Amino acid sequence: MEPITHKFQQAIKELTEMLEAFSTEQLNKIPFPNSWTAGQVGDHLLKSYGSWEIFKGETEFAERQYDENCKTLSGLFLNFNIKLIAENSNATYPSDGYIEKENLISNIQTISDRIISFSSRNDLRVLCLDFEFPTFGYMTRFEWLHFYVVHTQRHIKQLTRLFNILNSHK
């Protein structure tokens, strides 16, 4: 079985390659009404990775399987037939302003490197007690990494769609 850190690294690699494919203009262009720009999708992901700081907070060993929520997380985030809505009040809601591509990609790489470094040196089976994930409650570090993978994969698909829309008008 492929380690979760490797899956996360692969998702980040795909994400950064996808973001690189957009021109700076395209990254900040609204492709259709009520849509995020590609830059906002990237900003949303970057902000979601910021939750990894809970890995360093209070933890305890789970009295359940460390990966118990992974199947449900995959079923939710990789079901492209449902539309998930980020709340505007949520800390992961993207910025409205201009997003500079190089800074976005650099920041994603920096935070993902920190996550991978920490995860490779620490036990992933412990519950993170500083934050309850909506509807899931406390999750293990492993489940959080799995969430980052499937959440990123979902948005890579969204970015691919946006890229195709923006490039179909040429």
Side-chain angles (χ1 to χ4, degrees):
M1 185 166 104
E2 187 178 29
I4 192 67
T5 52
H6 182 72
K7 288 180 182 179
F8 180 59
Q9 283 176 307
Q10 186 60 36
I12 293 297
K13 180 178 184 281
E14 290 175 34
L15 172 63
T16 56
E17 287 173 356
M18 189 72 239
L19 290 170
E20 285 283 357
F22 288 89
S23 69
T24 302
E25 179 186 339
Q26 288 175 328
L27 196 77
N28 288 284
K29 184 174 183 177
I30 297 173
F32 54 89
N34 300 316
S35 173
W36 285 352
T37 66
Q40 287 176 308
V41 173
D43 187 53
H44 165 70
L45 284 168
L46 175 64
K47 288 177 177 179
S48 75
Y49 303 145
S51 64
W52 89 274
E53 292 287 337
I54 66 169
F55 286 24
K56 299 184 277 184
E58 187 179 347
T59 62
E60 70 180 27
F61 279 96
E63 293 182 12
R64 59 173 178 79
Q65 288 295 313
Y66 67 93
D67 61 350
E68 186 175 291
N69 289 315
C70 291
K71 187 174 181 179
T72 306
L73 286 164
S74 292
L76 177 64
F77 284 90
L78 299 179
N79 180 349
F80 302 111
N81 294 319
I82 59 171
K83 182 169 175 72
L84 300 175
I85 308 289
E87 293 181 31
N88 197 349
S89 61
N90 189 314
T92 64
Y93 202 78
S95 305
D96 284 331
Y98 178 85
I99 295 176
E100 207 272 289
K101 182 166 79 167
E102 288 74 24
N103 284 346
L104 175 62
I105 292 171
S106 174
N107 290 337
I108 288 171
Q109 196 58 60
T110 298
I111 199 165
S112 65
D113 288 347
R114 288 180 184 151
I115 293 168
I116 292 163
S117 176
F118 182 92
S119 298
S120 65
R121 296 185 329 268
N122 291 276
D123 195 330
L124 300 180
R125 298 172 297 168
V126 295
L127 290 169
C128 299
L129 301 177
D130 290 348
F131 180 79
E132 288 190 60
F133 196 95
T135 71
F136 288 88
Y138 296 118
M139 295 201 313
T140 64
R141 290 174 179 154
F142 186 95
E143 290 167 331
W144 274 102
L145 277 171
H146 183 78
F147 160 71
Y148 296 149
V149 170
V150 297
H151 185 223
T152 302
Q153 290 170 335
R154 180 177 187 86
H155 286 299
I156 289 169
K157 184 168 177 83
Q158 180 184 12
L159 287 167
T160 301
R161 182 172 170 251
L162 296 179
F163 183 82
N164 291 336
I165 290 168
L166 291 169
N167 285 289
S168 68
H169 302 296
K170 287 185 172 183

